[in-house]
Amino acid sequence: MRKHARGLGVAAAAMLLLAACGDDGGTSGDGDGGGDRPQIALVSKGFQHQFWQAVRQGAEQAGEEFDVEVTFEGPDSESEVAQQIDMLQSAIDRGPDALGFAALDSQAATPLMEDAASREIPVIAFDSGVDSDVPLTTAATDNRAAAALAAEKMVELIGGEGEVALVVHDQTSVTGVERRDGFVEYIEENAPGVEIVDIQYGGGDHLESTNLATAIIQGNPNLAGIYGANEGSAIGVVNAVNELGMAGELVIVGFDSGQAQIDAIRNGVMAGAITQNPIAIGYETVKAAVQALDGEELPETIDTGFLWYDATNIDDEEIQAVLYE
């Protein structure tokens, strides 16, 4: 590898409890100015959601453990593909020793992946994959399997029949596509009494997702349930149901965590959600980058896991360890 070869410390699992995250108010964060330490630049899909702050925390924990400098940045929203591409180009131009990238658009960044490869910068994909052979591995949730579990829970909660709809964050990222398709495929293959009547895309934005969910509910008076495919989508669905005074009348199944979803589950507005392990995603991304710098062979994917949580298990130790507020 190009600049640094270094010994790895023992790789402990990244199941560390969240502490409060610092937020420098926008699009960047960094380590402690690491001098000659290897530099690993992470470009995420966002910065505003607690999910991404938890990913950042895991990355910084790994940075401390493996003695590397970690920078973390992301666009203002998960619909800002052009802004993310600019950030990725700037990160490559800074010449980091390794790069972590979570693609908003799995195809738009392909040329920059080739740019990174031409500069011999090892790339680790995280959260979402990219349509390129350049990334050495992808540290992510098995989103298709996780979405299938969300669909299974939805079918159970509505009694195996009725109309359901989806609010998804996008149809360009791998997470958006897999969380939609995993849910839809499960319904089509296992629930003949359930009809999917609408799928809308809100960019992961709370307000836009609220507006979309409101329109879906008003346009489908027989709707039995809605699935929100990420933190922003799920919160938007909760907001719409609350604003329409329909709490308890629709089954809401979400994805991710955050204080608003935790509150909605505790007060019964949301039935439950899939939680990823964002700390592990950040941790495993940096760990894989360090391994790449050491010349180690990496697996094609690193499964960082997922769990279903609802009012019955939200306080369990296993769940509390991976929720973020």
Side-chain angles (χ1 to χ4, degrees), residues 140-278:
T141 304
D142 184 340
N143 286 289
R144 193 177 292 266
L149 177 58
E152 179 182 349
K153 294 295 183 181
M154 174 68 84
V155 172
E156 292 176 0
L157 290 163
I158 65 174
E161 59 182 22
E163 297 179 353
V164 300
L166 291 74
V167 177
V168 184
H169 40 295
D170 63 64
Q171 52 187 330
T172 57
S173 71
V174 171
T175 62
V177 171
E178 291 191 345
R179 292 182 200 175
R180 177 197 63 197
D181 291 352
F183 189 95
V184 171
E185 288 166 1
Y186 181 89
I187 296 290
E188 291 178 345
E189 295 171 5
N190 299 282
V194 177
E195 180 184 4
I196 296 174
V197 295
D198 203 352
I199 302 175
Q200 296 291 331
Y201 303 92
D205 179 76
H206 299 175
L207 181 59
E208 178 63 17
S209 298
T210 300
N211 293 337
L212 291 171
T214 299
I216 291 172
I217 295 168
Q218 292 176 331
N220 296 278
N222 296 319
L223 198 66
I226 305 183
Y227 161 59
N230 80 339
E231 180 182 351
S233 305
I235 293 171
V237 175
V238 168
N239 290 343
V241 167
N242 284 331
E243 291 173 7
L244 292 170
M246 297 181 65
E249 298 180 33
L250 291 174
V251 172
I252 302 173
V253 169
F255 210 110
D256 292 326
S257 178
Q259 188 63 58
Q261 286 202 76
I262 291 171
D263 291 345
I265 288 173
R266 290 193 184 282
N267 64 29
V269 176
M270 177 177 284
I274 299 293
T275 180
Q276 306 179 82
N277 188 340

Side-chain angles (χ1 to χ4, degrees), residues 7-325:
L8 262 178
V10 176
M15 303 297 180
L16 302 175
L17 296 176
L18 270 171
C21 289
D23 185 346
D24 46 18
T27 58
S28 69
D30 57 35
D32 59 7
D36 293 333
R37 295 187 303 166
Q39 298 181 11
I40 299 173
L42 269 60
V43 179
S44 80
K45 293 167 67 177
F47 209 85
Q48 78 280 31
H49 291 159
Q50 290 303 309
F51 177 86
W52 294 114
Q53 292 297 328
V55 173
R56 174 187 176 183
Q57 183 180 350
E60 292 179 347
Q61 288 171 351
E64 292 179 4
E65 180 175 334
F66 299 120
D67 194 26
V68 296
E69 182 181 0
V70 174
T71 64
F72 192 97
E73 58 188 329
D76 295 333
S77 78
E78 294 180 27
S79 62
E80 298 289 347
V81 175
Q83 184 185 16
Q84 189 196 42
I85 293 299
D86 289 342
M87 286 180 163
L88 179 60
Q89 183 68 70
S90 295
I92 293 171
D93 290 342
R94 292 197 299 271
D97 294 283
L99 179 69
F101 180 56
L104 277 173
D105 187 318
S106 60
Q107 297 182 347
T110 300
L112 292 187
M113 293 293 96
E114 297 301 327
D115 187 10
S118 72
R119 304 185 196 204
E120 300 183 29
I121 300 173
V123 178
I124 308 299
F126 67 98
D127 184 68
S128 289
V130 59
D131 288 341
S132 168
D133 293 331
V134 171
L136 300 173
T137 187
T138 301
T141 304
D142 184 340
N143 286 289
R144 193 177 292 266
L149 177 58
E152 179 182 349
K153 294 295 183 181
M154 174 68 84
V155 172
E156 292 176 0
L157 290 163
I158 65 174
E161 59 182 22
E163 297 179 353
V164 300
L166 291 74
V167 177
V168 184
H169 40 295
D170 63 64
Q171 52 187 330
T172 57
S173 71
V174 171
T175 62
V177 171
E178 291 191 345
R179 292 182 200 175
R180 177 197 63 197
D181 291 352
F183 189 95
V184 171
E185 288 166 1
Y186 181 89
I187 296 290
E188 291 178 345
E189 295 171 5
N190 299 282
V194 177
E195 180 184 4
I196 296 174
V197 295
D198 203 352
I199 302 175
Q200 296 291 331
Y201 303 92
D205 179 76
H206 299 175
L207 181 59
E208 178 63 17
S209 298
T210 300
N211 293 337
L212 291 171
T214 299
I216 291 172
I217 295 168
Q218 292 176 331
N220 296 278
N222 296 319
L223 198 66
I226 305 183
Y227 161 59
N230 80 339
E231 180 182 351
S233 305
I235 293 171
V237 175
V238 168
N239 290 343
V241 167
N242 284 331
E243 291 173 7
L244 292 170
M246 297 181 65
E249 298 180 33
L250 291 174
V251 172
I252 302 173
V253 169
F255 210 110
D256 292 326
S257 178
Q259 188 63 58
Q261 286 202 76
I262 291 171
D263 291 345
I265 288 173
R266 290 193 184 282
N267 64 29
V269 176
M270 177 177 284
I274 299 293
T275 180
Q276 306 179 82
N277 188 340
I279 296 178
I281 292 174
Y283 180 95
E284 293 293 341
T285 299
V286 171
K287 174 185 167 184
V290 172
Q291 290 174 313
L293 293 173
D294 279 349
E296 296 185 26
E297 186 173 349
L298 297 173
E300 183 176 354
T301 60
I302 300 171
D303 185 355
T304 52
F306 62 88
L307 293 166
W308 167 262
Y309 68 106
D310 57 22
T312 68
N313 68 352
I314 192 170
D315 292 317
D316 290 355
E317 183 176 353
E318 181 184 35
I319 298 298
Q320 285 291 311
V322 294
L323 295 185
Y324 51 92
E325 299 180 348

